[in-house]
Amino acid sequence: MEDASYDADKIQVLEGLQAVRKRPGMYVGSTDSRGLHHLVFEVVDNSIDEAMVGFCGKIEVTVSADGSVTVDDDGRGIPTGILPKYDRPAVEIVMTTLHAGGKFDRKSYKVSGGLHGVGLSVVNSLSEWLEVRVRREGKEQRARFERGVIVEHLHVVGESSGTGTTITFKPDSQIFEDVNFDADILSSRLMDLAFLNKNVVIMFRDQRSGREEKFHYEGGIIEFVQHINKTKTVLHERPIYISGERDNVLIEAALQYTDSYAENIHTFVNNINTIEGGTHLIGFRTALTRTMNDYARKNSFLRESEESLSGDDVREGLTAILSVKISEPQFEGQTKTKLGNSEVRGIVDSTVYEKLSQFLDENPRVAEACIRRAILAAQAREAARKARELTRRKGFLESASLPGKLADCTEKDPAKSELYLVEGDSAGGSAKQGRNRDFQAILPLRGKILNVEKARMDKILKNAEVRNLITALGTGIKEDFDLSKARYHRIIIMTDADVDGAHIRTLLLTLFFRYMRPLIDTGYVYIAQPPLYKVSKGNNEVYAYTEKERASAVELLGKGATIQRYKGLGEMNPHQLWETTMNPETRVMKVVTVEDAVRAAQLFSVLMGDAVMPRKDFISTHAKEVENLDV
């Protein structure tokens, strides 16, 4: 029972780094895998900041067999001198005090990714132990901490001929749900940083598996674009490169058109992936549209009477990297995913317009390929508009005319409502009978929906299954998309545990990622996890979701236990489907997230695009990781 009194003695003051351990999510976003890997990125970002000001040329990241991580750089080394106010070495203050660092006066760092002076101290606080070694002024010194508390003060351990900082830490299992680092997540981020900082060599080693990688790209973001487009057909061989500096804002952009239908633009500010965009992205898009229209009219690709190209037209099939470096960026929140500096919009707009106009004038063949690509997109947009109007007239996009196959729920509050996307009429029938009709809606899908990776919007809107899905969701699609109109806040993909089921899941996820992305970003999309087996003996039944669980169930029930392998959801009766896959009390679901938009976009291109060899290579590379193979 709560204490009714609320007096002065109830007020707590969290000293030092206690606040970080009390509320870790405020500082690293979460205590799941995302927050865990954020620790590494906070340390690496400090090394990258040294590189951006020209003092670091090599960074080494090593995951050790004991689960600790070491980040070593050849930068200037964290200052070790005594701070008179605290009578302690500067490195100890940096490691144990929030908002302590060298990035506030902008004298040591003109630009940096770490803005708040919390990175290293937060990592220290959330680590079981952390050791820092600093090489500078001919000496190597070391200090050690345990859960943010110093246990070994800074002291000289030897001589040093160079400079730099080495930080080794082991994340605290008392804080994080899982302390095992994913090598692919770390590798992807380090690769991005190497593309964005072409003068830096980044080494990655995973001693758990023996994996070693070297990232160094002298071509910078030009190579970044080429890497993203390696599975696509490009319309001009070399990406267009733009760079400039204005009012202490450094701008780099690389762009290349392909024959795909989705735009693929990724933006960075001081090496931070601004996945929500911001003022720099607005400026880039505005300049791109204006430049392409000006060139098209000046060179008679568009007549005066013809409508101008839209932003969607000029971005269709475009892959671009926009990297901005600014001394005082203003991000929306500590997550740093959206830039808010109003002045950056105009700076990027004017710089990109000037440089891109110059490039198009000097490269007429490339310019023509880009313009004609956009004109084709405009023609398809008009066809899509007519298709959209037709579907509206027929009632397909109006909530008053929901799909006939949709078994809706009675709950009208979207936050309490769920939509199950079910493969086939058989499973759909079981789901309709087994569901809780108060809050669970069922939409059976007939066969496989259209692969939207290979189709323009006019063709997408003509596909009956896609139309039914759009209508059921209520959000619209692409430029018509409105998240506030979502009729369900849980959209659950429930397919069979076989090859066809996996294909349908991928098709649906491709549609959501390419044209209804906010559904994923907001956490509305889930994957249901139906059991693979039922192990039974007498009246005892155990459902197993993995091979390991199956073996455990057989051992538990003993000799004579029978094993039923579920090939499809339709094999379950309504009661079984409810208990195993739909009952909120017992079901297992995975929320769909996008940690790395660059890699996700590339993966969808590999899996769902036209090129066969990249898909074959992907399957060969990852075949051993398959847990449940349907043969």
Side-chain angles (χ1 to χ4, degrees):
M1 185 175 178
E2 294 184 0
D3 188 346
S5 65
Y6 180 54
D7 304 316
D9 61 356
K10 298 296 191 297
I11 302 300
Q12 292 181 321
V13 178
L14 300 177
E15 301 289 345
L17 298 178
Q18 294 177 39
V20 180
R21 293 185 61 82
K22 184 76 173 176
R23 299 283 186 269
M26 290 178 60
Y27 298 89
V28 293
S30 65
T31 57
D32 57 13
S33 174
R34 184 175 183 178
L36 176 73
H37 291 84
H38 189 80
L39 298 183
V40 181
F41 304 149
E42 283 283 6
V43 181
V44 172
D45 283 349
N46 281 279
S47 299
I48 289 292
D49 288 344
E50 282 286 285
M52 283 199 292
V53 290
F55 293 105
C56 174
K58 187 174 184 181
I59 302 168
E60 298 184 22
V61 179
T62 304
V63 182
S64 300
D66 65 356
S68 64
V69 172
T70 299
V71 179
D72 176 87
D73 69 50
D74 60 357
R76 290 170 290 184
I78 302 174
T80 56
I82 300 296
L83 285 177
K85 181 178 178 180
Y86 303 96
D87 195 29
R88 290 175 60 195
V91 62
E92 290 187 9
I93 298 298
V94 167
M95 300 305 301
T96 59
T97 307
L98 289 174
H99 308 294
K103 299 168 186 174
F104 297 109
D105 63 3
R106 293 299 165 199
K107 294 179 181 178
S108 299
Y109 295 92
K110 182 180 179 181
V111 294
S112 71
L115 304 174
H116 305 101
V118 301
L120 291 180
S121 58
V122 166
V123 175
N124 190 18
S125 173
L126 302 180
S127 296
E128 180 181 325
W129 56 265
L130 182 147
E131 183 178 286
V132 56
R133 289 174 175 257
V134 178
R135 303 176 300 278
R136 59 184 290 155
E137 297 162 358
K139 297 181 292 185
E140 180 173 350
Q141 301 185 65
R142 182 182 70 198
R144 185 179 173 89
F145 309 82
E146 293 179 1
R147 296 188 168 95
V149 178
I150 191 162
V151 294
E152 187 180 309
H153 285 280
L154 190 69
H155 62 285
V156 176
V157 293
E159 297 181 352
S160 173
S161 58
T163 61
T165 302
T166 304
I167 291 176
T168 303
F169 69 94
K170 187 173 184 181
D172 193 346
S173 59
Q174 294 179 6
I175 299 291
F176 296 97
E177 301 163 14
D178 184 357
V179 292
N180 293 308
F181 288 101
D182 186 320
D184 288 337
I185 293 176
L186 296 177
S187 175
S188 292
R189 172 61 176 158
L190 297 177
M191 179 186 290
D192 288 356
L193 289 171
F195 278 126
L196 294 165
N197 299 273
K198 58 187 177 182
N199 297 322
V200 181
V201 177
I202 302 179
M203 301 295 300
F204 174 59
R205 299 183 182 89
D206 186 352
Q207 294 181 350
R208 300 168 301 179
S209 63
R211 175 176 178 174
E212 289 194 14
E213 294 174 288
K214 178 182 178 181
F215 304 115
H216 181 216
Y217 306 103
E218 294 180 354
I221 63 172
I222 293 176
E223 283 193 62
F224 202 166
V225 168
Q226 290 172 327
H227 173 75
I228 294 171
N229 284 344
K230 66 182 180 181
T231 64
K232 301 176 182 178
T233 301
V234 298
L235 302 190
H236 48 103
E237 185 175 351
R238 185 170 175 80
I240 301 167
Y241 177 72
I242 293 168
S243 67
E245 179 176 1
R246 190 167 298 175
D247 298 336
N248 292 320
V249 177
L250 296 162
I251 300 162
E252 266 193 304
L255 48 157
Q256 186 177 42
Y257 281 91
T258 72
D259 67 350
S260 67
Y261 300 120
E263 70 174 88
N264 204 359
I265 301 175
H266 305 283
T267 63
F268 299 83
V269 174
N270 295 2
N271 298 306
I272 296 164
N273 190 347
T274 43
I275 57 175
E276 292 185 82
T279 53
H280 57 323
L281 177 58
I282 295 171
F284 176 80
R285 284 177 163 177
T286 302
L288 179 66
T289 305
R290 185 157 55 102
T291 307
M292 297 286 274
N293 274 296
D294 285 358
Y295 186 89
R297 294 203 182 280
K298 185 172 67 174
N299 292 276
S300 303
F301 290 102
L302 286 176
R303 292 189 295 271
E304 287 299 321
S305 60
E306 290 181 307
E307 181 183 350
S308 294
L309 300 169
S310 73
D312 285 336
D313 298 335
V314 301
R315 295 194 303 270
E316 184 178 282
L318 174 66
T319 297
I321 299 291
L322 172 65
S323 177
V324 175
K325 291 175 180 173
I326 178 174
S327 60
E328 294 291 346
Q330 298 167 11
F331 293 104
E332 293 189 3
Q334 172 64 15
T335 52
K336 306 174 186 174
T337 57
K338 187 174 184 179
L339 185 68
N341 298 62
S342 59
E343 75 280 4
V344 173
R345 174 177 178 173
I347 293 172
V348 173
D349 184 341
S350 58
T351 302
V352 172
Y353 178 78
E354 175 189 332
K355 301 288 185 178
L356 183 57
S357 297
Q358 180 181 342
F359 177 89
L360 296 179
D361 286 338
E362 295 173 355
N363 298 270
R365 291 183 64 182
V366 174
E368 181 175 356
C370 298
I371 294 295
R372 293 201 181 281
R373 176 75 174 77
I375 290 173
L376 283 174
Q379 293 169 351
R381 173 170 56 86
E382 177 62 17
R385 184 187 64 78
K386 292 177 180 178
R388 192 178 288 110
E389 286 181 355
L390 177 63
T391 56
R392 282 200 181 100
R393 284 198 298 273
K394 291 182 177 181
F396 288 128
L397 297 181
E398 297 298 331
S399 59
S401 179
L402 292 171
K405 286 182 174 288
L406 174 68
D408 209 358
C409 55
T410 58
E411 176 63 59
K412 299 304 179 186
D413 182 355
K416 300 176 182 177
S417 304
E418 303 177 346
L419 174 66
Y420 276 84
L421 306 178
V422 185
E423 173 188 356
D425 290 335
S426 176
S430 292
K432 288 178 182 179
Q433 293 178 56
R435 67 177 173 141
N436 184 324
R437 63 186 62 238
D438 290 341
F439 64 93
Q440 292 179 324
I442 309 296
L443 180 63
L445 299 174
R446 185 176 57 193
K448 298 174 182 178
I449 72 164
L450 180 72
N451 180 2
V452 300
E453 192 74 15
K454 300 179 180 180
R456 276 199 172 102
M457 187 53 60
D458 56 328
K459 186 176 180 182
I460 292 172
L461 289 172
K462 290 177 182 177
N463 182 267
E465 295 302 299
V466 173
R467 285 207 313 265
N468 286 341
L469 178 55
I470 296 168
T471 305
L473 293 176
T475 58
I477 189 171
K478 204 176 180 183
E479 65 264 27
D480 288 341
F481 185 88
D482 185 348
L483 186 65
S484 68
K485 294 182 179 178
R487 301 182 65 247
Y488 314 91
H489 287 188
R490 281 196 184 91
I491 302 158
I492 304 162
I493 301 172
M494 188 166 70
T495 59
D496 293 343
D498 59 11
V499 173
D500 286 338
H503 191 196
I504 291 170
R505 280 198 303 275
T506 306
L507 288 166
L508 286 168
L509 291 174
T510 305
L511 172 66
F512 292 147
F513 181 79
R514 291 299 191 195
Y515 296 109
M516 308 168 97
R517 174 74 180 273
L519 291 175
I520 296 177
D521 294 338
T522 315
Y524 285 5
V525 181
Y526 295 80
I527 304 293
Q529 301 291 297
L532 292 172
Y533 301 98
K534 182 178 75 170
V535 182
S536 57
K537 184 179 181 182
N539 293 326
N540 296 317
E541 293 182 346
V542 177
Y543 293 100
Y545 294 82
T546 64
E547 296 293 338
K548 186 176 180 180
E549 288 183 7
R550 178 191 62 81
S552 298
V554 171
E555 185 178 347
L556 175 67
L557 297 181
K559 189 176 180 180
T562 60
I563 303 171
Q564 179 182 355
R565 168 72 156 95
Y566 289 118
K567 280 285 188 177
L569 297 169
E571 295 179 18
M572 295 185 195
N573 62 45
H575 173 73
Q576 290 174 329
L577 193 57
W578 164 257
E579 280 301 320
T580 62
T581 317
M582 301 181 72
N583 184 348
E585 300 297 323
T586 57
R587 69 189 178 188
V588 177
M589 297 196 309
K590 294 183 178 179
V591 65
V592 177
T593 61
V594 178
E595 293 295 328
D596 185 344
V598 176
R599 230 57 63 198
Q602 189 176 38
L603 183 57
F604 279 118
S605 295
V606 169
L607 296 178
M608 309 308 292
D610 290 319
V612 175
M613 285 308 298
R615 184 157 49 249
K616 184 177 179 181
D617 292 342
F618 177 87
I619 293 171
S620 300
T621 301
H622 295 277
K624 294 181 180 179
E625 300 169 18
V626 175
E627 296 180 2
N628 302 299
L629 181 63
D630 174 71
V631 293

